[in-house]
Amino acid sequence: MGDAAARNFQFLAYGLIAVWAILAAYVLTLVSRERKIQREIESLKRILEDRGGR
Amino acid sequence: MLFLRQAWTVAQKDLRSEFRTKEALNASLSFALVILLLFSFAFDPTAEMTREISGGLLWLVFAFAGALLLNRSFARELENDCLDVLVVSPVPAAALFLGKALANYILLLGIEAVCLPVFGVFYNADWTRQPAWLAIVILLATWGITIIGTMFSALTVNLRLRELMLPMLVYPMLIPCLMAAMQLTTALMAGQAPSGDQLAWVRMLVGFDIIFTALSVALVETVLIG
Amino acid sequence: MREKILYALGALAALLLARNIWVMLTGLPDEAFQGAIFRIIFFHVPAAFTCFLCFFVALVASISYLKSGKMQWDSLAVSATEAGLAFGAANLVSGMIWARIIWGIWWTWDWRLTSMLVCWLLYAGYLVLRRAVEEPAQRARLSAVLSILSFAVVPFVFFSIKWFRTQHPQPVLYGEGKMDAAYRAMLYLNWVPLLMLAAVLIAIRIGQENRRRELDALRREAHSI
């Protein structure tokens, strides 16, 4: 494999990795947002139950 | 007919209040002059290059000055809840919007009329070679800037961070309109009347104006009243 | 049940992708002029298709929201826009990496690159606008209007920038620079998993938007006590 061909292949790998890294980053932000929302919902529910119980 | 009269009434009201204070007009005009000055540091203004990019420079000045003017269009009605009064008045939202756009159009054209000769003097650009075509291009492109600017002024009027939001929303929307104007103006300043490919730009400007005027008039009711 | 379907769809997409990458690397010969790097196109072009399909879905959802006033449409609009932006970013970045090899530069102000960037910025503005509005109904209304305006400007952006300058290789699916049939088949075949992935992402995001609305309701309740 020549030098140019190797570089070519290397950049192909970079390209594929970049595409999936971007999509994975989006999925990760989705997951972290989901966690934050769940946490807030639970804490709010607890607060509401406490107040409702009294 | 009634619709147009209502729009004209709103436009008159806007123009009158603007000419009493001249706040936005002064700010926008002096801003335009400052940008004209700043451009002269970016490159050698006497070079032949000026002729090639003159259209671009001119329309950047107009777009910046215009955005400054248009942003205030609805925001100035927030004081004393004027906007609420305008919205509940018997004037339909579309007429209100069109009237405001008309007033802005006249103001912006005024600013451009001042900037154009100044630009010609500072940058040694001969803008008088194709006066009729230049007028057509300026009228069409300025209407495009006005309609988009006024629409986004209405869209963001109740938002916090309004001043930060507007430029980021408005300029990408204006790209086709500005690009057509820049292309045509550069050619006109070189003394060529539009022909062939250039006419496509004119058609695009007309299409841009029609489509966004129609869309804005149709949608402004949902924006202001909901 | 809904979640199981989503997981199944996601797994299927991953399987298809793995198969496609395998076939791409072993079964397809290198393109004559570009060498191995040309395989990026199998992600680059479908990502752009997916991106615009997402924006179109967002447009339909926005119009439906303005017609019906149902919040589900707003959820769909924002979800589709976000997924579209993710695929748009994938398209832009993979294109840049391809350009580094073929053109020797990362970025050039060619019309397709510029238009894609402008569209990306337009729709990024949509998300910024949403963050600035507190009240849910107002947020849905304003962003729906913005989505419609943005979609209307996309064709103008494309045509204007096209007349302005061109360097990008000609479209590969029609016209003169048409690709070999095997390559074209691969391109469409790789679009399928990307579409499935987009659907999964949108569905997840819609669920999240619904929970966020639930959260808002709880907050209001907590305030009222």
Side-chain angles (χ1 to χ4, degrees), chain C:
Chain C
M1 187 56 202
R2 183 166 168 274
E3 285 196 350
K4 274 198 188 124
I5 293 177
L6 285 184
Y7 285 138
L9 204 58
L12 196 60
L15 272 178
L16 255 175
L17 273 169
R19 181 211 162 261
N20 282 351
I21 292 178
W22 176 252
V23 172
M24 222 180 274
L25 290 175
T26 58
L28 282 180
D30 280 2
E31 210 253 6
F33 298 107
Q34 301 184 0
I37 191 80
F38 90 98
R39 291 187 180 84
I40 275 188
I41 203 177
F42 297 130
F43 292 91
H44 178 70
V45 174
F49 288 171
T50 315
C51 168
F52 283 109
L53 193 68
C54 284
F55 290 160
F56 182 70
V57 170
L59 170 79
V60 173
S62 297
I63 294 174
S64 309
Y65 172 76
L66 288 183
K67 279 227 145 85
S68 70
K70 289 207 180 87
M71 276 313 220
Q72 287 98 310
W73 288 117
D74 180 54
S75 306
L76 177 59
V78 63
S79 312
T81 307
E82 270 195 29
L85 281 172
F87 280 96
N91 168 265
L92 280 170
V93 171
S94 63
M96 278 162 74
I97 289 169
W98 177 85
R100 183 77 184 89
I101 287 287
I102 300 297
W103 294 334
I105 37 177
W106 291 107
W107 184 266
T108 165
W109 293 103
D110 163 74
W111 77 273
R112 255 164 279 227
L113 281 80
T114 316
S115 318
M116 193 64 202
L117 185 65
V118 173
C119 293
W120 202 88
L121 285 175
L122 271 172
Y123 279 89
Y126 175 93
L127 292 186
V128 176
L129 178 81
R130 286 186 75 88
R131 297 204 144 207
V133 194
E134 301 279 347
E135 209 267 312
Q138 191 190 24
R139 176 170 58 211
R141 219 171 62 228
L142 295 184
S143 48
V145 170
L146 181 63
S147 186
I148 294 172
L149 288 176
S150 300
F151 200 86
V153 91
V154 166
F156 282 105
V157 168
F158 268 73
F159 280 114
S160 63
I161 301 181
K162 182 177 179 184
W163 290 336
F164 193 50
R165 50 184 67 163
T166 294
Q167 180 179 12
H168 195 281
Q170 286 308 300
V172 285
L173 297 178
Y174 55 90
E176 283 172 29
K178 202 167 167 180
M179 268 198 307
D180 181 68
Y183 289 169
R184 222 161 355 122
M186 188 72 215
L187 201 130
Y188 286 124
L189 208 60
N190 216 24
W191 190 18
V192 175
L194 287 191
L195 271 182
M196 283 155 72
L197 191 65
V200 172
L201 288 177
I202 290 174
I204 294 174
R205 184 67 179 79
I206 287 178
Q208 196 168 70
E209 194 67 18
N210 291 340
R211 269 189 293 289
R212 186 176 281 177
R213 223 174 331 341
E214 191 187 334
L215 179 66
D216 279 345
L218 282 175
R219 271 203 196 120
R220 266 196 296 278
E221 205 179 321
H223 263 291
S224 66
I225 304 181

Side-chain angles (χ1 to χ4, degrees), chain A residues 8-9 11-12 14-16 18-20 22-23 26-27 30 33-34 37-38 40-41 44-45 48 51, chain C residues 17 34 36-37 40 43 82 86 89 93-94 97 100-101 201 205 208 211-212 215 218-219 222 225:
Chain A
N8 217 325
F9 215 80
F11 269 70
L12 171 64
Y14 288 164
L16 295 190
V19 169
W20 295 112
I22 287 169
L23 293 179
Y26 179 56
V27 172
L30 274 181
R33 226 182 302 171
E34 180 73 38
I37 290 175
Q38 288 294 5
E40 276 191 50
I41 286 184
L44 268 174
K45 267 189 182 152
L48 282 176
R51 298 220 181 142
Chain C
L17 273 169
Q34 301 184 0
I37 191 80
I40 275 188
F43 292 91
E82 270 195 29
V93 171
S94 63
I97 289 169
R100 183 77 184 89
I101 287 287
L201 288 177
R205 184 67 179 79
Q208 196 168 70
R211 269 189 293 289
R212 186 176 281 177
L215 179 66
L218 282 175
R219 271 203 196 120
I225 304 181

Side-chain angles (χ1 to χ4, degrees), chain B residues 14 25 27 61 81-82 120 124 128 141 201 221:
Chain B
D14 264 27
L25 209 53
V61 173
D81 295 329
C82 292
N124 195 22
T128 49
W201 287 111
E221 183 119 7

Side-chain angles (χ1 to χ4, degrees), chain B residues 46-192:
Chain B
T46 52
E48 184 62 25
M49 197 175 108
T50 313
R51 222 179 304 282
E52 283 165 34
I53 57 174
S54 54
L57 287 186
L58 193 64
W59 281 99
L60 278 185
V61 173
F62 291 172
F64 286 147
L68 204 66
L69 183 80
L70 298 168
N71 291 356
R72 300 252 321 130
S73 170
F74 275 85
R76 75 152 127 242
E77 308 285 3
L78 283 178
E79 281 171 44
N80 301 328
D81 295 329
C82 292
L83 188 60
D84 295 340
V85 178
L86 284 173
V87 166
V88 297
S89 72
V91 178
L96 173 66
F97 171 78
L98 224 50
K100 280 198 162 293
L102 208 59
N104 290 334
Y105 189 50
I106 293 168
L107 290 174
L108 193 51
L109 283 176
I111 290 172
E112 291 174 355
V114 177
C115 286
L116 196 56
V118 175
F119 177 80
V121 171
F122 276 5
Y123 293 90
N124 195 22
D126 189 3
W127 50 274
T128 49
R129 289 182 177 175
Q130 296 279 351
W133 270 109
L134 191 65
I136 291 174
V137 170
I138 287 183
L139 287 175
L140 284 175
T142 307
W143 181 250
I145 295 177
T146 308
I147 207 82
I148 296 275
T150 314
M151 185 63 185
F152 277 87
S153 170
L155 199 72
T156 53
V157 65
N158 285 316
L159 264 56
R160 63 195 162 92
L161 305 178
R162 177 178 357 104
E163 291 83 3
L164 297 178
M165 299 281 308
L166 262 170
M168 118 137 247
L169 295 176
V170 168
Y171 289 124
M173 293 289 285
L174 281 179
I175 284 175
C177 173
L178 286 179
M179 198 141 63
M182 287 170 177
Q183 292 292 305
L184 286 166
T185 311
T186 303
L188 289 173
M189 292 222 176
Q192 306 157 351

